Structures are given as structure tokens and as C-alpha cells.
Amino acid sequence: MGFDYQSQLKLSQLQVLIAVADCGSFSEAALQMQMSQSAVSYAIATLEEELGILLFMRGRYGAHLTPVGEQIVDRARQILYLMADIVKQANLAKGLEGGLVRISAFRSAGTHILPRIIAQFCQRYPAIAVSIAEYDDRADVEDDLRKGRADIGITYLPTSHEFETWELMHDEFVVLFPPSFEPKSTQLSWEDLKVYPLIVPPDGCDCDTMMYAHCAKYGVTLQAAYKIRSDTTIVNMVAQGLGTAISPRLAAEPIPEGVQVFSLPVPFFRTISAAILADALLTPAGFALLDLLKSSW
């Protein structure tokens, strides 16, 4: 059967053709391409049938290109090179072959959310650099977005209308108790929060403001005994029996062995989100990272 312009000459056939030519063997080409030998043989036989020519001489010493086979392989290499170049030029046009994406995040999100995402992003777009600015709380993250110091922010809801946001995950506020705590039941009560001194971050933390407001809805007023900035220090103080703490789970992790973890009597969550300044003109690289963030949850 002769080849015509309506025939479906496949790139996969050309890839197999080149592999067999380079290896000089159907079996070696199959190993290299992680295919069965029968699949390699079928691809070459189909290509020869479509073209109406013999590409290889088969024998006990392997497969050797015929004169016309050598000409076809040369052109197949050119085709694959041009296909790769098409993709490269498209990526250059999209801005995915270089540049920088700037991310601002509150610290626990930077620790527990971003590393996996950045690893996937760098694997897909190795030429794009990524910078991460970490802050104690979301106020600095959102300020970076406003002032153009960040392309994408990792914050939590609610935010102002100046930002466009996409929910990533829900992070529960948990109560951390020392190893010596003996709960009266598996369900924590509001009274249990008064057993130990309360350890909290300094005033001005948005997370604590949300948590205080949640407790106030149920007539509970929390009194702080210690005000400590570092999440790690707070958790380790609990582990030493110095008090109890209420914290988003991500901020508390890794939780030391022995520290007891409970949900609040009425469970409460913060919604972590990716954010950009509304109507911001992201670079193609920024859009690519934002798409990856949105598709990961």
C-alpha cells in the first residue's frame, strides 16, 4: 500500500525508527523505550507498510538500515528536532523559559504547603526561578501584594475586596495540652481550657483575633498567661507542662510526642487561600504557578 498525504504518520513511529537505528537491534530498542519487542516490531512493520519500502534488513546480527532507510531516519531526526523546537518557541513566547515568580506566605504555609508545590513547579519549568518571603502573619503577605513585591500570596480568609482568592485548604484550630492533662471525656469542654495557663502569640495576630472571636460567641473569654511569638516555642512550652495553647494545626506541627491534641468544643477552621491583587497582570510564569496551586487541592 502506497503512502499518501492522508496517511497518519505518527511521531511514535518515528521515535521507534530512530531507536532501532541507533541500537541496531529491535530488542535493545524495546528495552530503551520500555516497550515490548513485539510492539517495536509492529511499529516498524506498520511504518514500512505505509511507506511501501523496506527500512531495515533483519538478520541474526541485528537490524541494519537499508539505503532508503538511512535517508528516512535522517529526515525523522529533523522532524523530531523541529517538533521539540516548536514546543520550545511556544514556551519562550509564553514566558516559561525563564523569569522569576515571587511568593509571599505566612510562615506555617511556607513550611507545610509550598515546598511540595515548588518542587512540582521547578520540575515542570526548571528555567523559572522562585523566591519566597515568609512572615509571621498574613498582614505582611497582603502588604507585599499591594506594593508589588509579590506576584502571589498565601493568606487566609477573609480578605479585603482588593484581592482575588482561591481556596486551598481548611486548617483546624486545635487545643494543645501537656502530657499530664487528664480529659474528663473525649469531647473537650470550654471548662477544660481553664485547667492550664494559656500560651498565645503577642497581640495583633489575626489568627488569634479570629480564635478569640470564635470563643466569645459561646461566652468564653480567654486570658493569656504567656505571650510568645514563636509557634515552635509555644508548642514546646506546652510539652513541658507550662500551659495550654490554641493554634492552627499547621502552625503547631510538628507536634512533640506526648502533647495531647483536641478539637475545640465547637470546631473552628481557617481557610487558607492563594491570592493576587485584583486585576493584577501576572506574568505567564506567575499564571503557571497559580494554576498549579489551584489544581493541587
Side-chain angles (χ1 to χ4, degrees), residues 223-243:
Q223 299 294 331
Y226 303 96
K227 294 187 176 182
I228 309 295
R229 179 170 300 279
S230 167
D231 295 323
T232 303
T233 302
I234 291 173
V235 174
N236 283 314
M237 288 180 69
V238 173
Q240 294 301 315
L242 294 173

Side-chain angles (χ1 to χ4, degrees), residues 20 31 37-38 54 93 104 108 110 123 150 212 219 249 258 260 279:
V20 175
L31 287 172
Q37 185 170 338
S38 61
L54 189 66
S104 288
S108 56
Q123 187 174 19
Y212 280 121
R249 183 178 284 273
Q260 301 185 60
D279 301 321

Side-chain angles (χ1 to χ4, degrees), residues 23 25-37 40:
C23 295
S25 162
F26 282 69
S27 58
E28 289 297 323
L31 287 172
Q32 182 187 89
M33 301 194 71
Q34 297 184 328
M35 298 170 61
S36 67
Q37 185 170 338
V40 169

